[in-house]
Amino acid sequence: MPRPSILWPVRSLAVLGIVAVTVAVAAPASANPLKSADVTVTFEAARNILPTDGWSSVSAVVRNAGPVPARGARVTLTMPAPFENYGLSTSSDWDCVHTYPAVSFDCRYLRELAPGAKAEAARITPQLRGATVGQRLTGRATASTPRETNTGNNADEQVFQVVGNGLIEGVFWHDVDADGVREAGEPIVDPVHYVARSVDDEDRYGWSNNFGPYRIQVPAKRYSVEVELSTQRWRFTRPNVGSDATDSDLVPYSETTYYQYGRFGPFTVDVNRPTVIDVGLVATS
């Protein structure tokens, strides 16, 4: 005999006093947030401590620190008067407009900048005209893309300091008796290679095969002097064994098969008096 069907009563939720509520449930947070490009900019300067008529080479370097390619990257750079523009240099990846004599450029990157990649730098050469000692001048670079979530790294600055000039001078002499002291009759000789290298930027001064007493005018900042000798002709004598007026100031620090290297410094050039660096050499034959 067939079983009877059971019919369950259907009641309205409203009749039962239950209110239907639609609840919007948030989707679980993604492990990877919305990805976007993140361009950064660095203001780079070959020299930032300059005499009143000094010049430098400055660059705006753009990188993509984000996880996706950057499209439409843009970079600007400006420097205040009395800097004047003496030339812009870029690669074909940039479309640039620059001003003259005011120092500024505005460049648009024509390619896609891959994650972690660095674009070829946009460079400009500024020179001071009518600057005064003691001035501090600030250059600024900015970068951007059309869509970017992190803008805290889109600007960078560089301070340029204007200083007076000072002198580095001295002699290279043949220390005949190799005692480290210059005595009457010991002759002046020529070194192989001499360079005064700035400690605080990329500035440098020097020569090869100069003869006689030397004198170099340099911006008043910190330097280290290095000399290279051919060991077929010379070696450094003993340093710092007498008074500053008669002893040798360079200290040997390295040697190869054919060359010996000596160094003095770091030291600060004073505009009011020369820095004297004398070097004694002993003949190898």
Side-chain angles (χ1 to χ4, degrees):
M1 179 176 179
R3 299 179 60 185
S5 298
I6 301 176
L7 299 179
W8 296 98
V10 178
R11 293 185 174 89
S12 167
L13 293 177
V15 172
L16 296 176
I18 301 174
V19 179
V21 178
T22 301
V23 179
V25 179
S30 171
N32 295 315
L34 180 64
K35 294 180 178 180
S36 65
D38 179 18
V39 296
T40 70
V41 65
T42 305
F43 192 121
E44 296 183 353
R47 302 173 181 87
N48 63 290
I49 304 174
L50 306 172
T52 55
D53 59 350
W55 65 276
S56 187
S57 174
V58 302
S59 305
V61 180
V62 177
R63 294 175 174 84
N64 181 9
V68 299
R71 298 178 179 86
R74 179 179 174 184
V75 65
T76 67
L77 184 146
T78 59
M79 297 184 67
F83 279 111
E84 292 186 0
N85 182 1
Y86 274 76
L88 173 69
S89 173
T90 64
S91 75
S92 59
D93 294 336
W94 291 103
D95 178 24
C96 295
V97 176
H98 68 107
T99 60
Y100 177 85
V103 183
S104 72
F105 63 70
D106 186 339
C107 298
R108 182 172 56 90
Y109 199 60
L110 301 178
R111 299 175 56 192
E112 191 175 77
L113 189 59
K118 178 180 73 173
E120 182 73 23
R123 296 181 177 87
I124 202 164
T125 302
Q127 182 162 7
L128 287 169
R129 293 293 185 188
T132 58
V133 173
Q135 279 187 290
R136 293 176 65 86
L137 306 166
T138 301
R140 180 176 175 84
T142 64
S144 62
T145 54
R147 285 188 60 187
E148 186 167 359
T149 57
N150 179 22
T151 59
N153 51 15
N154 290 120
D156 192 28
E157 294 182 343
Q158 174 67 61
V159 176
F160 295 81
Q161 183 178 354
V162 183
V163 298
N165 285 314
L167 293 173
I168 303 174
E169 62 183 30
V171 296
F172 288 74
W173 89 91
H174 182 190
D175 188 11
V176 177
D177 57 5
D179 65 352
V181 177
R182 188 180 181 200
E183 294 149 335
E186 292 186 326
I188 293 174
V189 296
D190 58 309
V192 174
H193 183 75
Y194 178 106
V195 60
R197 196 185 313 274
S198 171
V199 173
D200 299 307
D201 56 19
E202 299 176 20
D203 211 2
R204 56 184 293 173
Y205 302 85
W207 68 82
S208 293
N209 298 317
N210 181 72
F211 184 81
Y214 71 89
R215 173 174 286 193
I216 314 171
Q217 180 175 277
V218 297
K221 51 186 173 182
R222 296 189 302 161
Y223 294 88
S224 178
V225 162
E226 296 183 6
V227 172
E228 174 191 277
L229 299 177
S230 169
T231 53
Q232 294 179 340
R233 297 183 60 199
W234 302 108
R235 300 185 71 85
F236 293 107
T237 192
R238 293 183 296 160
N240 303 319
V241 298
S243 69
D244 287 340
T246 60
D247 69 1
S248 181
D249 298 311
L250 259 73
V251 177
Y253 72 90
S254 180
E255 188 170 334
T256 66
T257 302
Y258 301 105
Y259 295 97
Q260 187 181 28
Y261 302 89
R263 179 184 292 139
F264 176 81
F267 61 94
T268 301
V269 168
D270 190 333
V271 296
N272 298 311
R273 59 175 183 171
T275 299
V276 179
I277 304 172
D278 297 325
V279 185
L281 307 178
V282 177
T284 55
S285 62

